[in-house]
Amino acid sequence: TKNLPKNILVDLHFHHYNPEVFRKQIEESIGKYSKYVIMPFDHPGMEKILGLIPRDKLLVIDWNIHSETADNLLYQDFGQSVFDGLEDLCHLLGKYREFVFLYPEFTNHPMESVQFFEKFCLKNNIKYSVLNDSSNFDVRAGVAYFSVSDRMLGRFLEQCREKKLEPGRDTGILSYNETPMKKFIYKGITVISTDFQMMGRKAAEFVSNDISMQICVPTKVYVRESL
């Protein structure tokens, strides 16, 4: 919204990954807006719902899924970009005896990241595991963690404080998605993240101009002291 002209008004709706909420929001919005910027999610009814929106007025952002009904895409890569980011961090991960992907039962993060995490570990002969049950999460010394949930990141930091483990020395954490606070928490959290500022700028270009776009937003690694 910061990149939009002042004469453009924006309504923001949250679907909370609920298909019925999403369907109702879209059905009630048809014809009310000149452009639609939608972040979809993995559900079999998604494509039919998106099909209600005129193709030239729809921009699918963040996740390139169920995008067959859209001419315009502005997305991040949850697979190969994760692999490439982990390769950049390989020299830091070598300090740890095991690498654990925290993929809790409440996350909506694409499973594709887990597949490329496993591919990276196998290529580099790194002992690894994937933790799906958050109730079994127990931070261990000598182990690095990759979290796609900020809730799990909070639990990691809480356990480190209780067990007197120093992130980046006794144990390590890599987080997905940059936020303003991650550069300050515990001397800084190492992050793999797409460029959300660029995504915002490009989405604003779509809204304010009659242009089409097919853009994969680059993913970056922010190295800090947590790993």
Side-chain angles (χ1 to χ4, degrees), residues 8-9 29 31-36 56-58 206-207 210:
I8 293 181
L9 299 178
S29 72
K32 290 176 60 177
Y33 302 104
S34 59
K35 297 288 179 67
Y36 297 79
D56 61 327
K57 297 181 183 296
L58 172 64
F206 172 80
V207 170
D210 287 324

Side-chain angles (χ1 to χ4, degrees), residues 2-226:
K2 290 179 181 178
N3 289 280
L4 289 172
K6 292 183 179 180
N7 65 335
I8 293 181
L9 299 178
V10 175
D11 286 343
L12 180 62
H13 301 271
F14 294 93
H15 52 59
H16 302 290
Y17 298 95
N18 184 313
E20 285 305 308
V21 170
F22 181 69
R23 179 188 58 78
K24 184 177 180 181
Q25 288 174 342
I26 297 301
E27 288 179 346
E28 293 179 351
S29 72
I30 297 303
K32 290 176 60 177
Y33 302 104
S34 59
K35 297 288 179 67
Y36 297 79
V37 180
I38 307 292
M39 189 187 81
F41 55 98
D42 192 8
H43 186 273
M46 180 64 56
E47 189 172 345
K48 183 178 179 181
I49 299 170
L50 289 174
L52 298 173
I53 304 171
R55 295 177 68 101
D56 61 327
K57 297 181 183 296
L58 172 64
L59 175 66
V60 171
I61 65 167
D62 196 51
W63 191 1
N64 184 8
I65 186 171
H66 302 303
S67 57
E68 293 82 0
T69 55
D71 293 327
N72 303 287
L73 296 172
L74 180 62
Y75 63 97
Q76 60 173 305
D77 175 23
F78 292 95
Q80 186 62 46
S81 290
V82 170
F83 179 91
D84 295 341
L86 293 174
E87 285 282 288
D88 291 341
L89 296 168
C90 199
H91 63 292
L92 295 173
L93 293 167
K95 297 188 296 183
Y96 305 98
R97 57 183 167 81
E98 186 179 352
F99 195 16
V100 177
F101 197 121
L102 303 179
Y103 192 81
E105 62 278 5
F106 48 78
T107 186
N108 288 289
H109 189 92
M111 188 67 184
E112 184 180 8
S113 294
V114 178
Q115 296 164 353
F116 277 82
F117 162 84
E118 293 176 333
K119 179 181 177 181
F120 162 78
C121 292
L122 290 170
K123 174 182 178 291
N124 292 281
N125 197 29
I126 295 173
K127 181 182 178 182
Y128 74 92
S129 61
V130 178
L131 181 66
N132 300 115
D133 186 351
S134 60
S135 65
N136 291 330
F137 179 44
D138 183 38
V139 176
R140 293 172 287 150
V143 179
Y145 299 88
F146 184 12
S147 177
V148 294
S149 162
D150 284 351
R151 197 186 312 178
M152 296 299 289
L153 170 62
R155 290 178 59 180
F156 169 86
L157 295 174
E158 186 177 38
Q159 288 192 31
C160 284
R161 179 175 296 171
E162 292 172 352
K163 299 181 179 185
K164 294 181 170 51
L165 297 174
E166 182 68 23
R169 185 189 66 192
D170 305 313
T171 182
I173 187 74
L174 168 65
S175 181
Y176 198 93
N177 284 340
E178 175 72 317
T179 63
M181 290 303 297
K182 286 181 183 176
K183 66 178 70 173
F184 303 112
I185 300 172
Y186 260 78
K187 303 178 185 179
I189 304 298
T190 299
V191 173
I192 291 179
S193 179
T194 194
D195 188 339
F196 288 111
Q197 291 191 1
M198 177 182 174
M199 189 178 290
R201 289 194 304 270
K202 291 299 181 181
E205 287 179 20
F206 172 80
V207 170
S208 54
N209 301 284
D210 287 324
I211 59 173
S212 60
M213 60 178 58
Q214 298 266 337
I215 299 174
C216 181
V217 180
T219 296
K220 301 178 181 180
V221 176
Y222 301 86
V223 179
R224 297 175 184 132
E225 293 189 39
S226 69

